[in-house]
Amino acid sequence: MATTSRKHAHPLRTLVIFALVIAGFYTIIAVSGVWMPKLGLDLRGGSTITLTASNSTGSGQVDAKSLELARTIIQQRVDGYGVGESEVTTSGDRQIVVSVPNVQKDDLVRLVGTTAQLYFRKVYNVAAATGSVAEPSATPSASAQPSASATASAEPSASASVSSPSPSASSTANKRPLPSLPTPVASPRPTTPGETKPLADLLTWTPSDRDNSDFETYLCGDTNFPDVTTEALITCDQDKAYKYLLGPALIPGNMVTRAIAAVPQNSVAYVVQLEFNNQGAADFQTVTAHLATQTSPQNQFGIVLDGQVISAPSVASNYTAGIAGGKAEISGSFTQKSAQDLANILSYGALPLSFDVSSVENVSAKLGADQLQAGIIAGVIGLALVLAYSILYYRALAVVVAASLVVAFGLTWALVVLLGTSMGFALNLPGIAGAIVAIGVTADSFIIYFERIRDEAREGRSLRTAIETGWQRSRSTILAADSVSLLSAVVLFIIAIGAVKGFAFTLGLTTLIDIAVVFFFTHPMLTLLGRTKFFGEGHRFSGFEAQHMGTTNPPLHNSRRTKGAAVVGGEA
């Protein structure tokens, strides 16, 4: 069946539609006001910390599920602090790598370095960090009221307390989305290997004379006591202002299922609202019932993370039946930040494994800027070499190569910016390498097309016919080559970790862009140029002159030959 050349009579319309699509992308960018792509860690500066896991049960083996759970919790913990574009990945069988842009190494160590187990312990004594034992009047003794009042603090003078949430506070909590946590790996009550004690025995535990003596002489900054869950712990708060003598661990942190910072109704102060799982709810009621009968400071429980007291709220004496229902509020004198910090620690502090900080690497913004500049210079050099080759070999047709590369760059830039604002995609140095590779991919597509036109011309077809039949026979080759690149990018993206994913994603994106450019720009552009006098009649240096095309067949530039002609099976 004959197909007339009218099938290819609308290259200008194709170019206009393609231009409108690109213009639409840039209109969206203009509306959003974001013209620059987001940059990854290696370009904008930041830090990477490597954590090596060890099994706290002493078996020496690190369970893969526990490692993945720890990775998820650390990711949630980092995200909970509002750090965007962070990356938390596992490496090998016991390492977790945390990469965070725009956070220096000291801040990152404080952010995720304290990743040990979280515990609730009874407070037996508290004193100023100078070593003098605090007087009873100096210890926190505020009574919790049914309604929320304000923030928990580890300082004895902060009047921190814990209470059951009031109806108004609960309704406020229900209106706020609660962060979800992964299901914790089931584990027994924290103990040293081979030793088990029921909760009732832990509550009746009393410090020994040696514990009291060590507490009196201990100074914050001294060598830390080992954090053994069934023994006393002498430690300090995060500011090293007060030291604490704590009893055995009563409740592990993985029994806290949810924790949020909220402002209850009819209140202006922040509180931290807690929810426990079923076992945690029962244990928390037992513990708070016991603490309500104690005098200060033994009516307090210390929330301990990585051997440091994060908060030490007290339980009011009117809760002798304990706080039931698995829900509670920690109140005191919170600011929004301090309440959110405590909520994040309670939500994301409990890990199924303990970790050591193996390495910390810092990338300064200056180094990132230098790497970005080097990547841009490499791209410009690659682009210049491609254009120089095109001019020498294809002469004036190099304008099609140059225009195709410009269009591909403009489309790539628009999509990278839009993906950054909509999906958080951050361009890193390997991603720039993928974009540079795309320069060669786009040039290859043109070379395949042009060489096919030359083959058609050698077979005696006119230029216009050679352009169309050359396209029909080259597009399958172009699609096959781009499909291989796209498949490689997809496989690499799936199996790779870290920054290599940026290379794979950018390579896949630019490969798809190359397909769009060659179909909707290069081909219609070449068709239009073939209809002009300079190119269509094969003027010298046009790139379409007969000698350069490898043929001396006169019909090559006979435009009358193709008027009304039909193309049947690719033949004129």
Side-chain angles (χ1 to χ4, degrees):
M1 180 178 179
T3 303
T4 66
S5 59
R6 291 177 61 85
K7 178 180 178 180
H8 310 283
H10 305 292
L12 182 60
R13 184 173 65 183
T14 301
L15 289 173
V16 170
I17 294 174
F18 191 54
L20 290 176
V21 171
I22 298 177
F25 288 147
Y26 278 93
T27 300
I28 297 174
I29 292 175
V31 172
S32 67
V34 179
W35 291 92
M36 298 296 294
K38 289 187 176 181
L39 300 180
L41 175 69
D42 52 357
L43 295 179
R44 66 190 303 181
S47 298
T48 298
I49 183 171
T50 301
L51 306 173
T52 301
S54 60
N55 195 324
S56 57
T57 63
S59 64
Q61 298 296 320
V62 176
D63 181 67
K65 293 182 178 179
S66 297
L67 187 67
E68 177 59 25
L69 174 62
R71 187 207 67 78
T72 303
I73 294 174
I74 293 176
Q75 180 73 69
Q76 291 174 316
R77 190 173 177 188
V78 172
D79 293 343
Y81 276 86
V83 179
E85 302 171 34
S86 61
E87 185 178 76
V88 182
T89 59
T90 57
S91 178
D93 61 349
R94 60 179 61 237
Q95 288 187 326
I96 293 179
V97 180
V98 184
S99 300
V100 182
N102 290 335
V103 175
Q104 295 305 302
K105 62 181 182 180
D106 293 339
D107 295 331
L108 182 60
V109 170
R110 285 194 294 269
L111 188 63
V112 299
T114 55
T115 54
Q117 288 277 8
L118 177 72
Y119 298 113
F120 293 75
R121 293 172 177 260
K122 179 180 176 179
V123 176
Y124 283 88
N125 208 342
V126 61
T130 56
S132 58
V133 178
E135 297 297 327
S137 59
T139 60
S141 57
S143 299
Q145 301 299 321
S147 59
S149 54
T151 205
S153 170
E155 298 185 6
S157 60
S159 298
S161 62
V162 61
S163 65
S164 176
S166 63
S168 61
S170 299
S171 62
T172 302
N174 292 335
K175 295 178 181 179
R176 298 187 54 160
L178 295 175
S180 59
L181 291 176
T183 304
V185 176
S187 60
R189 182 176 305 285
T191 61
T192 52
E195 185 176 4
T196 302
K197 289 185 179 180
L199 183 58
D201 291 346
L202 295 176
L203 288 173
T204 58
W205 179 93
T206 56
S208 65
D209 292 339
R210 175 65 181 272
D211 293 331
N212 290 321
S213 175
D214 288 342
F215 174 73
E216 290 182 6
T217 58
Y218 181 76
L219 298 176
C220 292
D222 289 350
T223 302
N224 292 335
F225 282 82
D227 189 2
V228 180
T229 59
T230 54
E231 297 180 6
L233 175 65
I234 300 174
T235 186
C236 295
D237 62 348
Q238 291 179 304
D239 297 329
K240 301 187 183 303
Y242 295 90
K243 61 180 181 178
Y244 289 83
L245 173 58
L246 305 172
L250 303 175
I251 303 174
N254 59 12
M255 290 187 178
V256 177
T257 57
R258 291 178 179 178
I260 64 169
V263 178
Q265 286 183 337
N266 302 321
S267 176
V268 295
Y270 276 88
V271 300
V272 177
Q273 298 172 344
L274 306 180
E275 290 187 19
F276 293 87
N277 61 18
N278 292 336
Q279 182 63 50
D283 290 351
F284 189 70
Q285 182 176 4
T286 301
V287 170
T288 51
H290 169 78
L291 295 179
T293 63
Q294 305 297 302
T295 58
S296 179
Q298 296 183 24
N299 65 340
Q300 295 174 252
F301 61 85
I303 302 172
V304 182
L305 177 68
D306 198 29
Q308 286 188 326
V309 175
I310 305 302
S311 179
S314 61
V315 180
S317 58
N318 58 322
Y319 285 100
T320 54
I323 298 176
K327 295 182 179 181
E329 288 179 357
I330 299 177
S331 59
S333 55
F334 283 119
T335 62
Q336 180 180 4
K337 183 179 185 303
S338 61
Q340 186 61 59
D341 286 348
L342 180 58
N344 284 336
I345 290 172
L346 291 171
S347 294
Y348 312 130
L351 295 176
L353 301 167
S354 58
F355 288 88
D356 295 322
V357 178
S358 299
S359 66
V360 180
E361 299 178 1
N362 189 66
V363 179
S364 68
K366 177 64 168 61
L367 179 59
D370 292 342
Q371 290 177 328
L372 178 60
Q373 182 180 13
I376 293 174
I377 291 174
V380 171
I381 292 174
L383 180 62
L385 291 175
V386 169
L387 290 178
Y389 172 81
S390 300
I391 293 172
L392 290 175
Y393 193 74
Y394 297 120
R395 304 179 182 180
L397 283 177
V399 70
V400 180
V401 180
S404 297
L405 290 172
V406 170
V407 171
F409 171 79
L411 190 55
T412 301
W413 185 271
L415 290 178
V416 168
V417 171
L418 291 175
L419 289 173
T421 55
S422 62
M423 299 176 57
F425 170 71
L427 185 65
N428 56 14
L429 194 59
I432 292 178
I436 294 174
V437 170
I439 297 175
V441 174
T442 302
D444 283 345
S445 297
F446 176 79
I447 291 171
I448 292 171
Y449 183 18
F450 185 75
E451 291 302 319
R452 190 66 214 186
I453 294 175
R454 295 181 69 179
D455 291 340
E456 297 297 313
R458 293 191 190 102
E459 294 179 8
R461 294 178 177 84
S462 68
L463 179 60
R464 292 189 181 182
T465 303
I467 289 175
E468 298 306 329
T469 57
W471 168 247
Q472 293 173 17
R473 296 179 178 181
S474 64
R475 63 187 177 189
S476 58
T477 305
I478 293 172
L479 286 175
D482 282 342
S483 296
V484 172
S485 295
L486 186 60
L487 181 61
S488 301
V490 171
V491 173
L492 187 60
F493 183 83
I494 293 174
I495 66 175
I497 62 173
V500 180
K501 282 184 177 289
F503 171 82
F505 183 86
T506 308
L507 179 60
L509 178 65
T510 51
T511 301
L512 292 174
I513 290 173
D514 171 64
I515 294 174
V517 169
V518 74
F519 270 74
F520 303 115
F521 181 81
T522 305
H523 168 229
M525 185 72 174
L526 205 55
T527 301
L528 288 178
L529 290 180
R531 296 176 182 179
T532 63
K533 182 177 180 180
F534 178 76
F535 288 95
E537 294 183 2
H539 283 217
R540 190 181 181 187
F541 302 121
S542 67
F544 278 148
E545 59 268 34
Q547 185 177 1
H548 185 67
M549 295 286 284
T551 179
T552 57
N553 193 346
L556 176 64
H557 302 112
N558 186 356
S559 60
R560 291 176 297 177
R561 175 185 172 92
T562 60
K563 289 183 178 180
V567 179
V568 182
E571 297 291 340

